[in-house]
């Protein structure tokens, strides 16, 4: 089957073509970062309007890149949720309209399942079962993944997600949007040991996370400088903040592998692109003889390839629809079932 995937859950428009025999044929992505940067965050109405402008040209682009036409498409997968309702409606309505005109089936994909399965697109994918760390601006969760649709929540954030803490810290330090890459870049210039920040829930008996207190500790440090925060101090705070987040994430991942008895970890989501996190995870896993799998950097953020792949895995078992549709801005991953 040749599956067209459409991702439009937030501020990136992603299109891809995945063939169940040949693999990923083509993908394209348009990021709205420059448009939203002026506002310091995503403006939902602007995001929706930009998806409208980009989706069809990107569809044509991936078809041409793969040497295919719409007539070759056997099914269409789209992000049904969670995400911004207006943005989701754009991708969903385009997918269902195209499918109706082509007389092919559709399937709504859970955005987080797309991220969860993204490492399976790589040349040396992990085998089930494995532990998954979903770490992004909206989610920080540890899951046991036994099969597609068979997910057990091991740990969750009690307040801010890791990516959200990065964004808030970036704002406190006067950095640009998006916060994660900006903090990481600044952290590389910092001196270790200059400041001490807490490692929330580092030694808790469970696998949950909490990053709100860490953000508050950064605010306290910034306020102590009485508006005289120089470049060196900002870099040192960024360095210590990144060390705190990555230390907590690494230890919780190792604890999850130990508790489950599994040997493989996959890391997905935007924060999964953080170089320091990857370094710490790789070092910790090597010491314990675990394996860590990541999607390529371009598939850490939202993209159409992960939606096309997840859709392809479920399409063969999906029920035929009448192309009526709804979106699910809030959608618990635990509600999913096996295909």
């Amino acid at each position: 089957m040749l599956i067209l995937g459409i991702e439009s859950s937030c501020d990136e428009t992603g299109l891809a073509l995945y063939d169940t025999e040949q693999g990923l044929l083509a993908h394209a992505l348009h990021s709205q970062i420059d448009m939203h940067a002026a506002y310091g965050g995503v403006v939902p109405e602007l995001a929706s309007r930009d998806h409208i402008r980009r989706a069809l040209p990107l569809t044509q682009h991936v078809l041409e890149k793969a040497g295919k036409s719409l007539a070759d498409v056997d099914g269409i997968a789209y992000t049904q949720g969670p995400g911004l309702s207006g943005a989701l409606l754009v991708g969903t309505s385009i997918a269902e309209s195209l499918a109706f005109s082509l007389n092919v089936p559709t399937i709504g994909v859970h955005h987080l399942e797309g991220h969860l399965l993204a490492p399976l697109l790589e040349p040396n994918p992990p085998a089930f079962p494995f532990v998954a760390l979903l770490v992004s601006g909206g989610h920080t969760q540890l899951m046991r993944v036994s099969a597609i649709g068979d997910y057990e929540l091991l740990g969750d954030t009690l307040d801010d997600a890791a990516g959200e803490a990065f964004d808030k810290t970036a704002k406190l330090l006067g950095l640009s949007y998006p916060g994660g890459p900006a903090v990481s870049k600044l952290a590389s210039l910092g001196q270790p040991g200059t400041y001490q920040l807490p490692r929330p829930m580092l030694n808790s008996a469970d696998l949950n996370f909490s990053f709100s207190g860490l953000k508050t500790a950064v605010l306290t440090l910034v306020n102590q400088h009485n508006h005289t925060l120089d470049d060196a101090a900002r870099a040192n705070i960024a360095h210590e903040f990144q060390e705190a987040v990555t230390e907590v994430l690494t230890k919780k991942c190792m604890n999850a592998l130990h508790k489950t008895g599994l040997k493989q970890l996959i890391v997905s989501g935007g924060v999964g692109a953080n170089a320091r996190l990857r370094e710490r995870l790789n070092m910790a896993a090597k010491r314990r003889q675990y394996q860590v799998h990541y999607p390529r950097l371009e598939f850490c953020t939202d993209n159409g390839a992960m939606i096309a792949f997840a859709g392809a895995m479920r399409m063969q078992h999906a029920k035929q629809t009448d192309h009526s549709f709804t979106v699910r801005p809030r959608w618990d991953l635990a509600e999913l079932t096996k295909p």
Side-chain angles (χ1 to χ4, degrees), residues 38-59:
Y39 304 94
V42 177
V43 181
E45 178 65 19
L46 295 181
S48 301
R49 291 177 180 273
D50 199 62
H51 287 310
I52 294 172
R53 286 192 291 267
R54 308 291 180 180
L56 291 179
L58 286 176
T59 300

Side-chain angles (χ1 to χ4, degrees), residues 10-256:
C10 190
D11 60 343
E12 282 151 328
T13 314
L15 274 294
L17 280 170
Y18 181 85
D19 186 278
T20 53
E21 292 185 357
Q22 301 177 54
L24 184 64
L25 301 185
H27 67 97
L29 183 73
H30 174 77
S31 173
Q32 301 174 2
I33 284 177
D34 291 341
M35 180 175 66
H36 296 295
Y39 304 94
V42 177
V43 181
E45 178 65 19
L46 295 181
S48 301
R49 291 177 180 273
D50 199 62
H51 287 310
I52 294 172
R53 286 192 291 267
R54 308 291 180 180
L56 291 179
L58 286 176
T59 300
Q60 189 60 40
H61 175 72
V62 296
L63 287 168
E64 292 175 355
K65 191 174 179 181
K68 302 290 184 179
S69 69
L70 280 174
D72 297 315
V73 173
D74 297 309
I76 301 177
Y78 59 89
T79 304
Q80 189 177 12
L84 302 174
S85 57
L88 291 168
L89 280 167
V90 174
T92 301
S93 59
I94 289 174
E96 293 291 356
S97 300
L98 275 176
F100 179 78
S101 68
L102 298 170
N103 193 29
V104 298
T106 59
I107 188 163
V109 173
H110 194 295
H111 181 75
L112 294 185
E113 182 170 59
H115 277 301
L116 198 66
L117 301 179
L120 302 184
L121 284 163
E122 298 307 309
N124 184 30
F128 298 109
F130 51 77
V131 170
L133 172 67
L134 291 173
V135 58
S136 66
H139 301 85
T140 302
Q141 298 177 325
L142 279 165
M143 312 283 297
R144 178 192 171 101
V145 181
S146 298
I148 293 173
D150 188 354
Y151 310 129
E152 177 190 353
L153 181 65
L154 301 174
D156 203 348
T157 180
L158 304 182
D159 40 61
D160 290 356
E164 186 179 2
F166 266 98
D167 287 338
K168 291 179 178 178
T169 294
K171 189 169 290 187
L172 291 172
L173 296 177
L175 302 177
S176 61
Y177 171 85
V183 170
S184 181
K185 182 178 180 180
L186 185 62
S188 66
L189 305 175
Q191 294 297 317
T194 307
Y195 299 107
Q196 292 294 320
L197 289 172
R199 272 66 169 161
M201 300 187 71
L202 179 68
N203 297 310
S204 65
D206 56 36
L207 297 173
N208 292 325
F209 304 89
S210 173
F211 294 107
S212 180
L214 178 58
K215 172 207 65 182
T216 302
V218 172
L219 174 62
T220 301
L221 265 182
V222 171
N223 289 339
Q224 286 175 355
H225 285 267
N226 295 318
H227 307 291
T228 59
L229 201 64
D230 60 22
D231 290 343
R234 290 164 64 244
N236 292 336
I237 292 173
H239 182 276
E240 174 63 9
F241 169 80
Q242 181 172 258
E243 288 298 295
V245 172
T246 56
E247 182 177 348
V248 171
L249 291 173
T250 299
K251 184 169 183 180
K252 294 286 185 174
C253 286
M254 296 303 108
N255 288 349

Side-chain angles (χ1 to χ4, degrees), residues 201-323:
M201 300 187 71
L202 179 68
N203 297 310
S204 65
D206 56 36
L207 297 173
N208 292 325
F209 304 89
S210 173
F211 294 107
S212 180
L214 178 58
K215 172 207 65 182
T216 302
V218 172
L219 174 62
T220 301
L221 265 182
V222 171
N223 289 339
Q224 286 175 355
H225 285 267
N226 295 318
H227 307 291
T228 59
L229 201 64
D230 60 22
D231 290 343
R234 290 164 64 244
N236 292 336
I237 292 173
H239 182 276
E240 174 63 9
F241 169 80
Q242 181 172 258
E243 288 298 295
V245 172
T246 56
E247 182 177 348
V248 171
L249 291 173
T250 299
K251 184 169 183 180
K252 294 286 185 174
C253 286
M254 296 303 108
N255 288 349
L257 289 165
H258 177 72
K259 287 186 176 184
T260 60
L262 299 178
K263 300 293 185 181
Q264 295 183 107
L265 172 73
I266 70 110
V267 182
S268 292
V271 181
N274 182 280
R276 180 56 175 153
L277 176 60
R278 292 191 174 205
E279 180 184 24
R280 296 188 84 144
L281 284 172
N282 290 339
M283 289 173 59
K286 185 177 181 180
R287 287 197 299 268
R288 296 165 177 82
Q289 295 185 315
Y290 296 146
Q291 291 182 324
V292 189
H293 299 263
Y294 311 91
R296 67 199 76 170
L297 291 178
E298 61 189 320
F299 292 162
C300 285
T301 56
D302 298 348
N303 62 87
M306 68 182 191
I307 302 304
F309 177 75
M313 296 301 100
R314 288 182 171 272
M315 182 71 75
Q316 299 175 55
H317 307 282
K319 296 179 180 179
Q320 187 70 27
T321 65
D322 60 1
H323 300 298

